Amino acid sequence: MTKAEKVEFVINSLEELYPKTPIPLDHTDPYTLLIAVLLSAQSTDAKVNQITPLLFERASTPWQMVRLSVDEIREIIKPVGLSPMKSKGIYKLSHILIDKYNGKVPESFEALEELPAVGHKTASVVMSQAFGVPAFPVDTHIHRLMYRWNLSSGKNVVQTEKDAKRLFPKEKWNKLHLQIIYYGREYSPARGWDLEKDFITREIGRKSVIKEYEKKKTGK
């Protein structure tokens, strides 16, 4: 199977499995999405979705957020982890949004990545999911599957993103990155991985990955 055929197989398979791709993080507008994505760093969407209602009940706009102290924000978001850094970032970026953007989330990668605690992945998620701008945010699931599927070298997420953007049609990026995440969680997790269930990897996967899986399963 050529790489082009593999890409087509992935697209068709994921479209059949996940014709609809709801955004995993609960939010109501670009600002609440930005905060939710920031909170999701080294946490899970499920945990973030438990915490954001508590935070947004107190502050769902930049103006409301800056009325809270950093300590108050940190106390609310503590269960998601990295709360000292995240609380400072949320407080500072809310001030910047008010002072520089009239309280609105800017619609550019450059402006978003200049905000405290906002990296390239967070900016990419916001641009794609809030504003519909083509982007391919790479999380651990996408990084893992692009390697397992022999579509990227697995060196780092920067290279994985470049490969994904090069291989997949731009008009499919926003939906496809979510489809791959859903597939990774359901069919090809990092732990408890069952190759019998993971039909895409069985069909197009890297031979060394499949051999390593079989070796661990048989103990030989």
Side-chain angles (χ1 to χ4, degrees):
M1 191 181 290
T2 67
K3 188 156 285 188
E5 289 171 337
K6 289 182 178 182
V7 167
E8 185 178 3
F9 179 76
V10 167
I11 292 172
N12 292 339
S13 298
L14 293 178
E15 186 61 33
E16 187 172 335
L17 283 173
Y18 309 108
K20 295 183 179 180
T21 51
I23 296 172
L25 291 169
D26 297 337
H27 67 286
T28 56
D29 55 25
Y31 177 72
T32 52
L33 177 62
L34 173 61
I35 300 303
V37 179
L38 188 157
L39 290 174
S40 71
Q42 296 188 36
S43 185
T44 65
D45 292 347
K47 176 62 70 176
V48 172
N49 286 340
Q50 290 174 1
I51 298 305
T52 48
L54 305 176
L55 178 62
F56 296 152
E57 184 180 10
R58 298 281 305 278
S60 61
T61 69
W63 292 275
Q64 293 171 340
M65 196 67 74
V66 298
R67 294 193 192 111
L68 301 178
S69 67
V70 172
D71 286 342
E72 287 176 309
I73 298 170
R74 184 171 69 240
E75 192 61 32
I76 296 170
I77 69 171
K78 190 177 292 184
V80 302
L82 302 179
S83 59
M85 179 273 290
K86 291 176 181 178
S87 58
K88 290 177 184 177
I90 290 170
Y91 184 80
K92 289 179 181 178
L93 75 79
S94 297
H95 263 294
I96 293 172
L97 293 181
I98 293 169
D99 296 340
K100 195 172 180 180
Y101 300 105
N102 197 29
K104 295 183 178 180
V105 176
E107 298 184 31
S108 82
F109 290 95
E110 294 77 14
L112 284 168
E113 290 181 37
E114 287 177 354
L115 296 173
V118 176
H120 179 65
K121 182 205 162 190
T122 297
S124 295
V125 173
V126 172
M127 290 298 289
S128 65
Q129 297 178 3
F131 303 124
V133 176
F136 213 108
V138 173
D139 74 343
T140 56
H141 298 290
I142 293 174
H143 186 56
R144 178 176 69 255
L145 292 189
M146 287 288 289
Y147 177 76
R148 283 182 177 174
W149 295 344
N150 203 18
L151 298 178
S152 188
S153 65
K155 290 181 179 179
N156 53 62
V157 294
V158 175
Q159 186 60 49
T160 298
E161 182 179 344
K162 288 180 180 178
D163 291 333
K165 287 181 172 180
R166 175 176 55 83
L167 292 169
F168 295 112
K170 191 173 185 177
E171 66 272 14
K172 295 186 180 294
W173 291 354
N174 288 354
K175 186 176 185 179
L176 193 61
H177 91 266
L178 286 171
Q179 290 173 321
I180 296 175
I181 290 170
Y182 294 149
Y183 184 88
R185 290 173 176 172
E186 187 174 0
Y187 291 91
S188 190
R191 297 179 181 178
W193 179 35
D194 182 358
L195 187 60
E196 295 303 311
K197 185 179 180 181
D198 183 2
F199 69 95
I200 294 182
T201 303
R202 278 204 330 270
E203 185 70 24
I204 69 169
R206 191 182 299 268
K207 290 181 180 179
S208 60
V209 169
I210 294 173
K211 285 182 179 179
E212 183 64 24
Y213 171 88
E214 292 172 344
K215 183 178 179 182
K216 287 182 179 178
K217 189 174 181 180
T218 60
K220 295 179 180 180

